[in-house]
Amino acid sequence: MKLKRIIAMVIGIVCLTIVQCVAGYFNDFESGVMAGLHAGGPGGGIWQIINSTDSRILSLSGDPSAGSNSKLGAYCLFENTQYDNFVMTGRMKSDERFTGAPNQWHDTAVVFGYVDENNYYYASFNYFNDANCNGIIKISGNSVSKLSDWTSGYGVLKDAGWHSFKIVKSGPVIEVYYNQQLVFTATDSSISHGRIGVGSLNDNCSFDDIY
């Protein structure tokens, strides 16, 4: 009987660990509550849940300034859960101007593997492309590495409409999708697990339906 109890306890612990590893996150922001959302970044900016045309969305305003060495100026992390292997999807859009005198470097970002402000990954979606944006970016201390690049001319973020994204991490393999198209892929094992979130280098943007 004692052995059975021990076996049951071991099975329970294993099951709990598995559940914690694959536990999902969902937020459509319809509650209007910022509880569980943790704003950060050196560049300021204002995170809030606002009313959109037909739903509530998570919005970054206030024109945050970029962090040093390509660190995100502003980000919003979801809860305190750390994820290793996961699939994260959602919708995003830039709130910058695309006509008249546009901001030609407007961007949005999806954060994952966040350990602290000096160690994390982010997928950068930008209108233009250079060595430090529009790809999979790794922040490690005071160094920045672009693990994957966009090689088809200008960047992927071309208008102010809503666009879908998906981040898939399986071990060291990272895949990033934009509007159901695989746009970035990389293999890196520097950060095994961390928190997830969204953000921007230095622009206003919005997000919705994170799961």
Side-chain angles (χ1 to χ4, degrees):
M1 182 63 70
K2 187 174 182 180
L3 178 60
K4 288 182 179 179
R5 286 202 190 106
I6 293 173
I7 293 173
M9 288 174 64
V10 170
I11 293 174
I13 292 170
V14 170
C15 290
L16 178 60
T17 302
I18 293 173
V19 168
Q20 288 173 336
C21 289
V22 301
Y25 176 86
F26 173 78
N27 200 333
D28 60 6
F29 309 109
E30 292 303 314
S31 68
V33 177
M34 289 289 293
L37 305 179
H38 306 276
I46 302 169
W47 287 100
Q48 57 187 336
I49 297 175
I50 64 172
N51 291 319
S52 183
T53 304
D54 56 359
S55 66
R56 289 174 173 167
I57 61 175
L58 179 64
S59 170
L60 171 62
S61 60
D63 294 314
S65 57
S68 61
N69 299 316
S70 295
K71 294 177 183 177
L72 294 178
Y75 48 79
C76 186
L77 302 173
F78 303 142
E79 297 187 326
N80 290 314
T81 304
Q82 297 196 9
Y83 297 86
D84 45 13
N85 299 326
F86 65 88
V87 177
M88 175 186 179
T89 65
R91 299 191 302 137
M92 62 185 177
K93 75 180 185 76
S94 171
D95 293 328
E96 299 291 330
R97 286 173 50 173
F98 282 77
T99 59
N103 169 11
Q104 296 181 332
W105 289 98
H106 43 245
D107 78 289
T108 61
V110 181
V111 181
F112 55 100
Y114 182 94
V115 178
D116 55 41
E117 62 183 7
N118 295 314
N119 295 278
Y120 59 93
Y121 299 108
Y122 69 91
S124 168
F125 304 91
N126 205 292
Y127 183 70
F128 277 161
N129 187 34
D130 68 9
N132 297 318
C133 71
N134 214 67
I136 299 173
I137 311 296
K138 179 176 70 174
I139 302 297
S140 180
N142 289 318
S143 67
V144 56
S145 304
K146 191 173 186 180
L147 304 179
S148 179
D149 198 5
W150 176 251
T151 58
S152 301
Y154 288 123
V156 298
L157 190 62
K158 296 181 172 65
D159 58 56
W162 283 101
H163 299 278
S164 67
F165 69 82
K166 179 169 72 171
I167 313 294
V168 180
K169 185 174 182 298
S170 179
V173 179
I174 303 166
E175 295 179 341
V176 177
Y177 294 79
Y178 179 81
N179 289 340
Q180 291 82 50
Q181 177 186 358
L182 178 64
V183 290
F184 311 129
T185 183
T187 300
D188 188 84
S189 58
S190 303
I191 304 174
S192 62
H193 59 277
R195 298 166 71 183
I196 59 175
V198 292
S200 175
L201 189 65
N202 61 348
D203 288 314
N204 300 327
C205 51
S206 298
F207 301 86
D208 200 8
D209 298 330
I210 306 296
Y211 66 94

